């Protein structure tokens, strides 16, 4: 079943968020100080790049990773390396005022960035609840406090609305989120995706494992018998949902028997902890709580 074919009326906070993001443009007049006095920025994570544009600071961005592909304008910015692996030579040539990162593959790179005389701010986002704090931190660091605070407040209100309207624990369907299929990977209790499932009204079957993401066996999924299966990857040939239906022993899983398998998601909505988090939760909520 195609996840993108499901529709429902968005929550009020989600509508406000979409209107907010649509109104953010890097060509607008700054609301606090002249743009020329604000720092030039290099982003070392796709979610940070999205947040930079969402608070109206896109024209301050002078460098990004090769994985930063949203919004479309970001593709025109110079690449400074891959996600978590910046090129120090490129950073030195750009000489930005500020580097923003989430998780560097080698923390020594962070120290070398500072040795170049570049200010570095490292953010930590483990769940949707951390996104408003990250937005406000980026707003302060880049001189875009007002926009960042407004967007953070919208997201906080949206998350609260999802919490308040979620089913009680006993009524939550069991969800298996397949991050990858060869080998099988899913999210544990400390994963960002587990928090998304909870906000969307489901129960992550991986929550009994105190890990972020981990490898599993087909038998592990069969034993837990999820009500819903969501595939967070694109299959190059046969659709992911069709492949799952054909797996040995999976035809007795409730999700397979009841045709509750979903694929063709926009992974950037679900695997990136960024400003579009409410849209991602809303899409998950549609499939989890459908009649």
């Amino acid at each position: 079943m195609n996840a993108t074919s499901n529709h429902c009326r968005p929550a009020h906070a989600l509508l406000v968020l979409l209107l907010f993001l649509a109104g953010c443009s890097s060509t607008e007049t700054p609301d606090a100080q002249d743009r020329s006095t604000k720092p030039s920025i290099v982003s070392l994570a796709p979610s940070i790049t999205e947040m930079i544009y969402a608070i109206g600071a896109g024209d301050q961005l002078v460098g990004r990773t090769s994985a930063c592909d949203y919004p479309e304008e970001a593709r025109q910015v110079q690449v400074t390396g891959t996600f978590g692996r910046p090129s120090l030579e490129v950073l030195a040539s750009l000489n930005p005022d500020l580097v923003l990162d989430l998780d560097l593959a080698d923390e020594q790179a962070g120290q070398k960035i500072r040795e170049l005389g570049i200010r570095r701010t490292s953010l930590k986002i483990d769940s949707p609840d951390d996104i408003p704090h990250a937005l406000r931190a980026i707003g302060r660091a880049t001189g875009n406090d007002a926009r960042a605070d407004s967007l953070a407040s919208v997201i906080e209100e949206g998350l609260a609305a999802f919490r308040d309207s979620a089913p009680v624990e006993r009524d939550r369907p069991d969800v298996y989120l397949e991050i990858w299929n060869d080998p099988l990977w899913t999210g544990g209790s400390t994963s960002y995706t587990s928090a998304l499932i909870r906000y969307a009204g489901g129960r992550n079957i991986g929550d009994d494992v105190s890990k972020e993401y981990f490898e599993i066996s087909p038998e592990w999924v069969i034993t837990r018998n999820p009500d819903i299966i969501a595939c967070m990857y694109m299959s190059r040939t046969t659709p992911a949902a069709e492949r799952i239906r054909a797996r040995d022993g999976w035809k007795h899983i409730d999700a397979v028997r009841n045709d509750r398998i979903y694929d063709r998601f926009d992974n950037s909505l679900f695997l990136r902890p960024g400003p579009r988090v409410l849209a991602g939760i809303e899409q998950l909520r549609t499939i989890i709580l459908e009649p």
Side-chain angles (χ1 to χ4, degrees), residues 230-246:
C231 309
M232 291 293 159
Y233 55 89
M234 291 295 291
S235 178
R236 294 182 179 179
T237 53
T238 307
E242 188 175 330
R243 285 178 174 271
I244 283 178
R245 291 188 188 94

Side-chain angles (χ1 to χ4, degrees), residues 136-153:
R136 290 187 173 106
I138 293 173
R140 289 192 300 270
T142 63
N144 296 275
D145 305 62
R147 286 178 179 269
D149 186 63
S150 295
L151 178 54
S153 296

